[in-house]
Structure formats: structure tokens, C-alpha cells
Amino acid sequence: DIQMTQSPSSLSASVGDRVTITCRTSQSISNFVNWYQQKPGIAPKLLIYAASSLQSGVPSRFSGSGSGTDFTLTITSLQPEDFATYYCQQTYSTPGTFGQGTKVEIK
Amino acid sequence: QITLKESGPTLVKPTQTLTLTCTFSGFSLSTSGEGVGWIRQPPGKALEWLALLYWNDDKRYSPSLKSRLTITEDTSKNQMVLTMTNMDPVDTATYYCAHSLYGSGKIDYWGQGTLVTVSS
């Protein structure tokens, strides 16, 4: 299985801050990375696919970058509704493994 | 509009077999590129990818669970069934079915999830 190492596991930030979450894969996977947001008790929501493509309906303050083994999710100007847990996922090979999640909390 | 909904037991006993049904609408598993998968999440833990079925009957399973999992489809009913044998308390989780697209593999629509507890 391809391992997804996501960091940090949690962070505290304020409204308006710029937040960066990283995901490193155990082998090169081109751009086969997706990012999801999950709020408590609710199914995950797709934010970014193919490393940098913004899913329809997702605010433009979310962006993704990276290729190969290192990937980044950036939230510019954090909003109150962005406090949640974020997961990366690789879809280069089966199983489509997820990272361990990053919980973004209010500072 | 794509929707998915999971149904099945909320409580199973250890060693029993779990059967979950995903009923979906807004797309067909007969259409090129379409796929339906299962993901689970133990309470307070991360997401775990379980299995995926594509329109061309390409079935993919998590290697660590492959011996216990089976996915089947009923195209006429727009349903997909996940069977997991020999359930254990560590299998307690919310089980999600989800829509996926071939190629990117992105999971763009999710069911609401169903919590399955394994306990005697």
C-alpha cells in the first residue's frame, strides 16, 4: 500500500490566517491526490482533485499543489466554516489510502 | 443530482457477516467511467478505503481486507452491496458508500454514512 504521511496532525489558527497542510507519499504518484474536508458527524466533502483542480462549488480560497511525493493544501484567509478535519487521499493505486487527517481548530 | 444512501444493520455480533446496501440515483453503473465505492471510519479515527466497483465490472479491494470483502451490484435497482465476513469489534465504524470517477479516482459524492457496531 502507498503510505500517506499528513502533517501537522492538528493546528490552531485564527480567522483570516493562511493555513498549509502537507501530505507526503511513500512513492511517486504523479498528481493522483485528492483533498477532503470533514466536519463532525458529516460525510467528507471533496475540495481538490488531481492535486490542484478545484472541485465545482468549492471556494477559491482553497488550493492544492504538488506532484510526485509532496503535496500541499492551502487555505488563504481562513473562514469560520473552515474549522474542520482535512484528509488527503491517493488514487494512484489500490487501495486508495487516506492520510491520518489534520484537525484545524480555532486559536 | 447524485445521491447515495447506505442501509443495513446497526449492530452485528462478532463472527457474523455484515451486509450493507448502497442505493444510489443520478447516475448509472452501466455508464462508462462511473464507479461506487465503500469507505469506513472508526469513531474518532481516519478514513479507510475498503472497495470500489467500476462500470466495466472492475472490482478493487483493500488487500488487507480482501479475503473478507465482496461487492456486488444490482444494476436494475441501482444498488450495490458490500459483504464483510467474520466481523470483529475493531470493525466498528461508520460505513460510507460513495461515487467515484474512473481516471482521477476522486470521490465526489458521499452517502450520509451508517454506523455499524460490532458487539456481543
Side-chain angles (χ1 to χ4, degrees), chain B residues 39-64:
Chain B
I39 300 97
R40 71 178 179 180
Q41 185 172 38
K45 296 189 178 180
L47 301 162
E48 180 181 14
W49 190 97
L50 299 179
L52 180 59
L53 169 66
Y54 282 119
W55 86 101
N56 57 358
D57 206 35
D58 177 4
K59 296 180 181 179
R60 304 181 182 187
Y61 296 97
S62 171
S64 64

mmCIF file of all heavy atoms in Angstrom, chain B residues 39-64:
data_model
loop_
_atom_site.group_PDB
_atom_site.id
_atom_site.type_symbol
_atom_site.label_atom_id
_atom_site.label_comp_id
_atom_site.label_asym_id
_atom_site.label_seq_id
_atom_site.Cartn_x
_atom_site.Cartn_y
_atom_site.Cartn_z
ATOM 1 N N ILE B 39 -16.047 3.222 1.951
ATOM 2 C CA ILE B 39 -15.020 3.764 2.835
ATOM 3 C C ILE B 39 -15.587 3.670 4.255
ATOM 4 O O ILE B 39 -16.783 3.866 4.454
ATOM 5 C CB ILE B 39 -14.707 5.237 2.500
ATOM 6 C CG1 ILE B 39 -14.210 5.369 1.053
ATOM 7 C CG2 ILE B 39 -13.676 5.816 3.463
ATOM 8 C CD1 ILE B 39 -15.286 5.770 0.074
ATOM 9 N N ARG B 40 -14.744 3.384 5.234
ATOM 10 C CA ARG B 40 -15.233 3.358 6.610
ATOM 11 C C ARG B 40 -14.387 4.249 7.501
ATOM 12 O O ARG B 40 -13.258 4.634 7.145
ATOM 13 C CB ARG B 40 -15.262 1.933 7.162
ATOM 14 C CG ARG B 40 -13.896 1.323 7.447
ATOM 15 C CD ARG B 40 -14.061 -0.072 8.030
ATOM 16 N NE ARG B 40 -12.765 -0.702 8.292
ATOM 17 C CZ ARG B 40 -12.622 -1.922 8.802
ATOM 18 N NH1 ARG B 40 -13.696 -2.647 9.106
ATOM 19 N NH2 ARG B 40 -11.424 -2.413 9.001
ATOM 20 N N GLN B 41 -14.940 4.564 8.671
ATOM 21 C CA GLN B 41 -14.255 5.448 9.617
ATOM 22 C C GLN B 41 -14.604 5.026 11.037
ATOM 23 O O GLN B 41 -15.717 5.281 11.511
ATOM 24 C CB GLN B 41 -14.677 6.897 9.365
ATOM 25 C CG GLN B 41 -13.940 7.913 10.203
ATOM 26 C CD GLN B 41 -14.268 9.328 9.777
ATOM 27 O OE1 GLN B 41 -15.402 9.655 9.431
ATOM 28 N NE2 GLN B 41 -13.255 10.203 9.804
ATOM 29 N N PRO B 42 -13.674 4.391 11.728
ATOM 30 C CA PRO B 42 -13.907 4.076 13.152
ATOM 31 C C PRO B 42 -14.102 5.371 13.931
ATOM 32 O O PRO B 42 -13.573 6.415 13.546
ATOM 33 C CB PRO B 42 -12.622 3.357 13.569
ATOM 34 C CG PRO B 42 -12.028 2.855 12.294
ATOM 35 C CD PRO B 42 -12.380 3.880 11.267
ATOM 36 N N PRO B 43 -14.844 5.313 15.027
ATOM 37 C CA PRO B 43 -15.110 6.534 15.811
ATOM 38 C C PRO B 43 -13.827 7.259 16.187
ATOM 39 O O PRO B 43 -12.913 6.662 16.759
ATOM 40 C CB PRO B 43 -15.834 5.989 17.048
ATOM 41 C CG PRO B 43 -16.480 4.734 16.584
ATOM 42 C CD PRO B 43 -15.540 4.147 15.587
ATOM 43 N N GLY B 44 -13.744 8.524 15.841
ATOM 44 C CA GLY B 44 -12.593 9.346 16.181
ATOM 45 C C GLY B 44 -11.330 9.068 15.392
ATOM 46 O O GLY B 44 -10.268 9.626 15.710
ATOM 47 N N LYS B 45 -11.430 8.240 14.370
ATOM 48 C CA LYS B 45 -10.229 7.870 13.608
ATOM 49 C C LYS B 45 -10.339 8.297 12.145
ATOM 50 O O LYS B 45 -11.314 8.921 11.739
ATOM 51 C CB LYS B 45 -9.993 6.366 13.724
ATOM 52 C CG LYS B 45 -9.691 5.924 15.147
ATOM 53 C CD LYS B 45 -9.253 4.470 15.204
ATOM 54 C CE LYS B 45 -8.900 4.072 16.618
ATOM 55 N NZ LYS B 45 -8.456 2.653 16.716
ATOM 56 N N ALA B 46 -9.312 7.929 11.386
ATOM 57 C CA ALA B 46 -9.228 8.369 9.994
ATOM 58 C C ALA B 46 -10.078 7.498 9.059
ATOM 59 O O ALA B 46 -10.566 6.432 9.444
ATOM 60 C CB ALA B 46 -7.769 8.347 9.540
ATOM 61 N N LEU B 47 -10.201 7.965 7.848
ATOM 62 C CA LEU B 47 -10.923 7.233 6.817
ATOM 63 C C LEU B 47 -10.106 6.043 6.329
ATOM 64 O O LEU B 47 -8.877 6.118 6.236
ATOM 65 C CB LEU B 47 -11.202 8.171 5.634
ATOM 66 C CG LEU B 47 -12.030 9.426 5.959
ATOM 67 C CD1 LEU B 47 -11.878 10.462 4.865
ATOM 68 C CD2 LEU B 47 -13.490 9.045 6.151
ATOM 69 N N GLU B 48 -10.799 4.970 6.000
ATOM 70 C CA GLU B 48 -10.150 3.770 5.469
ATOM 71 C C GLU B 48 -10.883 3.327 4.215
ATOM 72 O O GLU B 48 -12.088 3.058 4.247
ATOM 73 C CB GLU B 48 -10.140 2.635 6.489
ATOM 74 C CG GLU B 48 -9.467 1.362 5.967
ATOM 75 C CD GLU B 48 -9.484 0.224 6.970
ATOM 76 O OE1 GLU B 48 -10.232 0.312 7.965
ATOM 77 O OE2 GLU B 48 -8.752 -0.763 6.745
ATOM 78 N N TRP B 49 -10.163 3.226 3.120
ATOM 79 C CA TRP B 49 -10.711 2.789 1.834
ATOM 80 C C TRP B 49 -10.910 1.280 1.856
ATOM 81 O O TRP B 49 -10.005 0.532 2.252
ATOM 82 C CB TRP B 49 -9.725 3.182 0.738
ATOM 83 C CG TRP B 49 -10.168 3.039 -0.666
ATOM 84 C CD1 TRP B 49 -10.674 4.027 -1.474
ATOM 85 C CD2 TRP B 49 -10.093 1.871 -1.478
ATOM 86 N NE1 TRP B 49 -10.922 3.524 -2.730
ATOM 87 C CE2 TRP B 49 -10.580 2.203 -2.760
ATOM 88 C CE3 TRP B 49 -9.661 0.560 -1.240
ATOM 89 C CZ2 TRP B 49 -10.659 1.279 -3.797
ATOM 90 C CZ3 TRP B 49 -9.735 -0.364 -2.271
ATOM 91 C CH2 TRP B 49 -10.232 0.015 -3.541
ATOM 92 N N LEU B 50 -12.100 0.808 1.431
ATOM 93 C CA LEU B 50 -12.399 -0.627 1.501
ATOM 94 C C LEU B 50 -12.461 -1.290 0.121
ATOM 95 O O LEU B 50 -11.814 -2.317 -0.117
ATOM 96 C CB LEU B 50 -13.731 -0.855 2.213
ATOM 97 C CG LEU B 50 -13.845 -0.391 3.654
ATOM 98 C CD1 LEU B 50 -15.246 -0.668 4.184
ATOM 99 C CD2 LEU B 50 -12.785 -1.059 4.517
ATOM 100 N N ALA B 51 -13.303 -0.761 -0.757
ATOM 101 C CA ALA B 51 -13.544 -1.437 -2.032
ATOM 102 C C ALA B 51 -14.168 -0.468 -3.022
ATOM 103 O O ALA B 51 -14.719 0.572 -2.640
ATOM 104 C CB ALA B 51 -14.475 -2.633 -1.827
ATOM 105 N N LEU B 52 -14.077 -0.854 -4.302
ATOM 106 C CA LEU B 52 -14.588 0.011 -5.365
ATOM 107 C C LEU B 52 -14.993 -0.839 -6.551
ATOM 108 O O LEU B 52 -14.293 -1.798 -6.904
ATOM 109 C CB LEU B 52 -13.496 1.000 -5.776
ATOM 110 C CG LEU B 52 -13.777 2.021 -6.875
ATOM 111 C CD1 LEU B 52 -14.952 2.901 -6.514
ATOM 112 C CD2 LEU B 52 -12.540 2.888 -7.094
ATOM 113 N N LEU B 53 -16.137 -0.503 -7.168
ATOM 114 C CA LEU B 53 -16.621 -1.189 -8.363
ATOM 115 C C LEU B 53 -16.817 -0.156 -9.459
ATOM 116 O O LEU B 53 -17.505 0.842 -9.262
ATOM 117 C CB LEU B 53 -17.951 -1.893 -8.067
ATOM 118 C CG LEU B 53 -18.709 -2.438 -9.288
ATOM 119 C CD1 LEU B 53 -17.928 -3.571 -9.943
ATOM 120 C CD2 LEU B 53 -20.106 -2.897 -8.877
ATOM 121 N N TYR B 54 -16.218 -0.431 -10.635
ATOM 122 C CA TYR B 54 -16.409 0.449 -11.773
ATOM 123 C C TYR B 54 -17.419 -0.125 -12.751
ATOM 124 O O TYR B 54 -17.736 -1.326 -12.703
ATOM 125 C CB TYR B 54 -15.077 0.718 -12.477
ATOM 126 C CG TYR B 54 -14.205 1.728 -11.765
ATOM 127 C CD1 TYR B 54 -12.944 1.396 -11.290
ATOM 128 C CD2 TYR B 54 -14.643 3.038 -11.580
ATOM 129 C CE1 TYR B 54 -12.149 2.331 -10.647
ATOM 130 C CE2 TYR B 54 -13.857 3.983 -10.945
ATOM 131 C CZ TYR B 54 -12.613 3.612 -10.477
ATOM 132 O OH TYR B 54 -11.834 4.554 -9.842
ATOM 133 N N TRP B 55 -17.872 0.715 -13.676
ATOM 134 C CA TRP B 55 -18.917 0.376 -14.643
ATOM 135 C C TRP B 55 -18.577 -0.871 -15.476
ATOM 136 O O TRP B 55 -19.472 -1.575 -15.932
ATOM 137 C CB TRP B 55 -19.118 1.569 -15.580
ATOM 138 C CG TRP B 55 -18.181 1.577 -16.762
ATOM 139 C CD1 TRP B 55 -18.467 1.188 -18.042
ATOM 140 C CD2 TRP B 55 -16.784 1.940 -16.755
ATOM 141 N NE1 TRP B 55 -17.354 1.304 -18.836
ATOM 142 C CE2 TRP B 55 -16.300 1.763 -18.068
ATOM 143 C CE3 TRP B 55 -15.910 2.400 -15.774
ATOM 144 C CZ2 TRP B 55 -14.990 2.040 -18.422
ATOM 145 C CZ3 TRP B 55 -14.603 2.672 -16.131
ATOM 146 C CH2 TRP B 55 -14.163 2.481 -17.432
ATOM 147 N N ASN B 56 -17.293 -1.153 -15.644
ATOM 148 C CA ASN B 56 -16.868 -2.266 -16.502
ATOM 149 C C ASN B 56 -16.626 -3.532 -15.689
ATOM 150 O O ASN B 56 -15.923 -4.433 -16.133
ATOM 151 C CB ASN B 56 -15.590 -1.871 -17.246
ATOM 152 C CG ASN B 56 -14.469 -1.460 -16.304
ATOM 153 O OD1 ASN B 56 -14.661 -1.436 -15.086
ATOM 154 N ND2 ASN B 56 -13.311 -1.137 -16.841
ATOM 155 N N ASP B 57 -17.228 -3.574 -14.472
ATOM 156 C CA ASP B 57 -17.108 -4.715 -13.571
ATOM 157 C C ASP B 57 -15.692 -4.884 -13.025
ATOM 158 O O ASP B 57 -15.322 -5.969 -12.558
ATOM 159 C CB ASP B 57 -17.585 -6.009 -14.238
ATOM 160 C CG ASP B 57 -18.066 -7.029 -13.208
ATOM 161 O OD1 ASP B 57 -18.651 -6.617 -12.196
ATOM 162 O OD2 ASP B 57 -17.824 -8.239 -13.402
ATOM 163 N N ASP B 58 -14.910 -3.844 -13.105
ATOM 164 C CA ASP B 58 -13.600 -3.821 -12.463
ATOM 165 C C ASP B 58 -13.825 -3.665 -10.958
ATOM 166 O O ASP B 58 -14.294 -2.623 -10.505
ATOM 167 C CB ASP B 58 -12.791 -2.652 -13.024
ATOM 168 C CG ASP B 58 -11.430 -2.499 -12.380
ATOM 169 O OD1 ASP B 58 -11.052 -3.344 -11.547
ATOM 170 O OD2 ASP B 58 -10.729 -1.509 -12.699
ATOM 171 N N LYS B 59 -13.494 -4.709 -10.203
ATOM 172 C CA LYS B 59 -13.688 -4.693 -8.753
ATOM 173 C C LYS B 59 -12.333 -4.587 -8.075
ATOM 174 O O LYS B 59 -11.424 -5.360 -8.378
ATOM 175 C CB LYS B 59 -14.408 -5.948 -8.289
ATOM 176 C CG LYS B 59 -15.825 -6.079 -8.829
ATOM 177 C CD LYS B 59 -16.507 -7.341 -8.333
ATOM 178 C CE LYS B 59 -17.920 -7.446 -8.928
ATOM 179 N NZ LYS B 59 -18.617 -8.680 -8.492
ATOM 180 N N ARG B 60 -12.217 -3.669 -7.129
ATOM 181 C CA ARG B 60 -10.961 -3.448 -6.425
ATOM 182 C C ARG B 60 -11.217 -3.524 -4.933
ATOM 183 O O ARG B 60 -12.184 -2.967 -4.438
ATOM 184 C CB ARG B 60 -10.362 -2.093 -6.815
ATOM 185 C CG ARG B 60 -10.173 -1.962 -8.326
ATOM 186 C CD ARG B 60 -9.571 -0.652 -8.707
ATOM 187 N NE ARG B 60 -9.446 -0.537 -10.175
ATOM 188 C CZ ARG B 60 -8.829 0.447 -10.801
ATOM 189 N NH1 ARG B 60 -8.260 1.418 -10.099
ATOM 190 N NH2 ARG B 60 -8.767 0.456 -12.123
ATOM 191 N N TYR B 61 -10.320 -4.210 -4.234
ATOM 192 C CA TYR B 61 -10.464 -4.414 -2.796
ATOM 193 C C TYR B 61 -9.192 -3.996 -2.063
ATOM 194 O O TYR B 61 -8.081 -4.121 -2.593
ATOM 195 C CB TYR B 61 -10.738 -5.882 -2.482
ATOM 196 C CG TYR B 61 -12.040 -6.429 -3.022
ATOM 197 C CD1 TYR B 61 -12.072 -7.136 -4.224
ATOM 198 C CD2 TYR B 61 -13.226 -6.260 -2.325
ATOM 199 C CE1 TYR B 61 -13.259 -7.642 -4.719
ATOM 200 C CE2 TYR B 61 -14.419 -6.771 -2.809
ATOM 201 C CZ TYR B 61 -14.431 -7.461 -4.005
ATOM 202 O OH TYR B 61 -15.613 -7.973 -4.492
ATOM 203 N N SER B 62 -9.366 -3.546 -0.834
ATOM 204 C CA SER B 62 -8.218 -3.315 0.016
ATOM 205 C C SER B 62 -7.521 -4.651 0.255
ATOM 206 O O SER B 62 -8.165 -5.611 0.710
ATOM 207 C CB SER B 62 -8.654 -2.721 1.351
ATOM 208 O OG SER B 62 -7.572 -2.677 2.248
ATOM 209 N N PRO B 63 -6.222 -4.759 -0.029
ATOM 210 C CA PRO B 63 -5.532 -6.038 0.141
ATOM 211 C C PRO B 63 -5.641 -6.592 1.558
ATOM 212 O O PRO B 63 -5.757 -7.813 1.730
ATOM 213 C CB PRO B 63 -4.079 -5.705 -0.213
ATOM 214 C CG PRO B 63 -4.186 -4.555 -1.153
ATOM 215 C CD PRO B 63 -5.350 -3.748 -0.646
ATOM 216 N N SER B 64 -5.638 -5.724 2.555
ATOM 217 C CA SER B 64 -5.666 -6.194 3.941
ATOM 218 C C SER B 64 -7.013 -6.788 4.320
ATOM 219 O O SER B 64 -7.110 -7.522 5.307
ATOM 220 C CB SER B 64 -5.313 -5.051 4.890
ATOM 221 O OG SER B 64 -6.290 -4.026 4.821
#
